[in-house]
């Protein structure tokens, strides 16, 4: 069983997940997931509206080889736009057209291939993922797809090169737009370090709030080495990185010249409470209006 709690000022969430890795004797896994999330503007001074998401889901993992797994699942989800000060026009237009509350029954399908030598401190191997979420019925109709590729290349017993690439794409169906509350976000640890969390991409012209987008591209490269004095202990490591990425609206093309980029150094530690990462980043390519945040901290896995 896993419990995920986020009590930050802007984004709060509570999710409970239970996993039965041997739901059947031949290794089919079953995952139950329940979650509740509230999201507020990227800058609290911009408004006090919220997007509240709650849902339940079940997913089955079917192993087809020692490193390949196919995932199928479904769930029920409710999204609610709570109007407040400075509600962005994109949210207001969507709510006026389709309502402030919506219900969906999304279906999921995915595949992963993971031959890394470790899930927490990988030193060699690859991780490949493809997933799709489809909502054919309910108040919202859309499809959202994600592709991810990671590779770890050991240079010797101490040094490792790591690469990560992720591409998200979404589209509204049945003549409806892609739901604004399903947008992807970029910026911060886990995407493009050196920029404020979830601050990149389309911006509301009036409130200057980051809206996210239906499309996202993220590229990361890291050079990883043990912490000085730690020997070959992989639980405490230093890394230098180069990031690039951005978010685009549903009707916008992927424009590589609009990618933001940054470089920096950081430290990762597999602590008793989970993986911790602290990074200092300097933007290499930014645009007027971008929100810079050089020091960032995260509890989570690599990239």
């Amino acid at each position: 069983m896993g419990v995920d709690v986020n009590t930050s000022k802007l984004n709060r969430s509570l999710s409970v997940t239970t996993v039965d890795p041997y739901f059947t004797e031949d290794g089919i896994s079953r995952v139950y997931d329940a979650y509740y999330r509230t999201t507020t503007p990227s800058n609290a001074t911009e408004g006090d509206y919220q997007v509240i998401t709650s849902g339940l889901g079940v997913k089955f993992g079917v192993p087809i080889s020692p490193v390949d797994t196919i995932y199928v699942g479904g769930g029920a989800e409710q999204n609610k736009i709570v109007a407040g000060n400075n509600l962005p026009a994109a949210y207001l237009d969507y709510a006026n057209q389709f309502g402030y509350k919506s219900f969906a029954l999304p279906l999921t399908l995915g595949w992963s291939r993971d031959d890394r030598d470790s899930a927490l401190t990988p030193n060699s191997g690859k991780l490949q993922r493809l997933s799709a979420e489809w909502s054919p019925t309910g108040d919202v109709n859309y499809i959202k797809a994600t592709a991810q590729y990671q590779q770890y290349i050991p240079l010797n017993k101490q040094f490792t090169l790591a690469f990560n690439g992720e591409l998200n794409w979404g589209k509204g169906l049945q003549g409806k737009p892609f739901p604004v509350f399903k947008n992807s976000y970029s910026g911060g640890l886990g995407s493009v370090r050196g920029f404020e969390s979830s601050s990149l991409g389309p911006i509301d012209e009036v409130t200057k709030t980051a809206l996210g987008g239906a499309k996202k591209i993220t590229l990361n490269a890291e050079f990883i080495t043990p912490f000085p004095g730690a020997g070959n202990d992989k639980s405490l490591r230093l890394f230098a990185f180069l990031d690039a990425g951005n978010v685009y609206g549903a009707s916008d093309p992927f424009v590589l010249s609009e990618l933001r980029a940054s470089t920096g150094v950081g430290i990762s530690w597999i602590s008793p409470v989970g993986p911790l990462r602290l990074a200092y980043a300097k933007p290499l390519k930014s645009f007027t209006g971008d929100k810079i945040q050089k020091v960032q901290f995260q509890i989570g896995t690599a990239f």
Side-chain angles (χ1 to χ4, degrees):
M1 184 177 74
V3 178
D4 179 23
V5 179
N6 186 334
T7 60
S8 72
K9 184 177 181 180
L10 304 178
N11 300 293
R12 301 187 177 188
S13 65
L14 171 64
S15 66
V16 179
T17 303
T18 63
V19 181
D20 184 350
Y22 290 97
F23 176 62
T24 65
E25 293 183 357
D26 52 357
I28 294 177
S29 63
R30 181 191 63 193
V31 180
Y32 286 130
D33 186 27
Y35 52 89
Y36 180 89
R37 307 185 187 101
T38 64
T39 303
T40 59
S42 59
N43 186 332
T45 63
E46 295 167 351
D48 57 2
Y49 67 90
Q50 289 184 325
V51 177
I52 301 176
T53 302
S54 57
L56 299 168
V58 60
K59 181 172 67 174
F60 297 92
V62 183
I64 56 176
S65 82
V67 295
D68 292 275
T69 304
I70 292 177
Y71 299 95
V72 294
E77 184 175 273
Q78 177 179 275
N79 289 274
K80 183 179 180 181
I81 299 174
V82 181
N85 296 327
N86 292 331
L87 182 66
Y91 286 85
L92 182 60
D93 292 344
Y94 190 92
N96 288 335
Q97 187 174 1
F98 302 104
Y100 284 83
K101 183 185 295 185
S102 61
F103 182 78
L105 296 170
L107 305 175
T108 56
L109 176 65
W111 162 81
S112 72
R113 171 176 291 175
D114 189 355
D115 61 8
R116 296 173 299 172
D117 59 346
S118 170
L120 290 178
T121 58
N123 191 57
S124 65
K126 296 186 294 292
L127 171 64
Q128 303 168 74
R129 291 174 177 165
L130 292 174
S131 64
E133 181 178 315
W134 175 41
S135 177
T137 185
D139 301 320
V140 292
N141 307 107
Y142 65 90
I143 186 169
K144 184 177 183 179
T146 301
Q148 184 179 23
Y149 179 88
Q150 288 183 7
Q151 183 163 9
Y152 295 83
I153 303 174
L155 302 179
N156 55 33
K157 291 184 178 180
Q158 290 187 316
F159 304 127
T160 301
L161 283 178
F163 300 95
N164 175 71
E166 183 176 349
L167 185 68
N168 290 12
W169 174 86
K171 181 178 177 60
L173 303 177
Q174 300 183 22
K176 298 179 181 179
F178 187 74
V180 291
F181 42 76
K182 282 293 179 179
N183 281 346
S184 299
Y185 291 85
S186 182
L189 284 167
S191 55
V192 186
R193 288 160 281 199
F195 297 86
E196 283 192 13
S197 178
S198 304
S199 66
L200 298 182
I203 303 293
D204 182 78
E205 295 181 358
V206 176
T207 66
K208 306 303 179 183
T209 303
L211 300 173
K215 305 171 185 176
K216 182 179 80 168
I217 182 171
T218 302
L219 302 170
N220 312 100
E222 288 189 357
F223 176 78
I224 307 171
T225 179
F227 193 82
N232 290 323
D233 183 6
K234 296 181 181 179
S235 65
L236 183 62
R237 302 197 288 185
L238 293 175
F239 58 88
F241 62 85
L242 179 66
D243 295 341
N246 202 6
V247 175
Y248 305 88
S251 60
D252 299 330
F254 285 105
V255 180
L256 296 183
S257 62
E258 295 180 359
L259 292 181
R260 273 56 168 181
S262 64
T263 187
V265 295
I267 183 173
S268 63
W269 176 39
I270 308 301
S271 74
V273 298
L276 307 180
R277 290 172 71 84
L278 176 67
Y280 174 84
K282 179 180 179 181
L284 295 176
K285 185 178 181 181
S286 60
F287 290 75
T288 302
D290 287 347
K291 298 176 181 178
I292 308 302
Q293 188 178 64
K294 294 185 176 181
V295 179
Q296 295 175 319
F297 173 78
Q298 179 191 48
I299 299 179
T301 56
F303 298 119

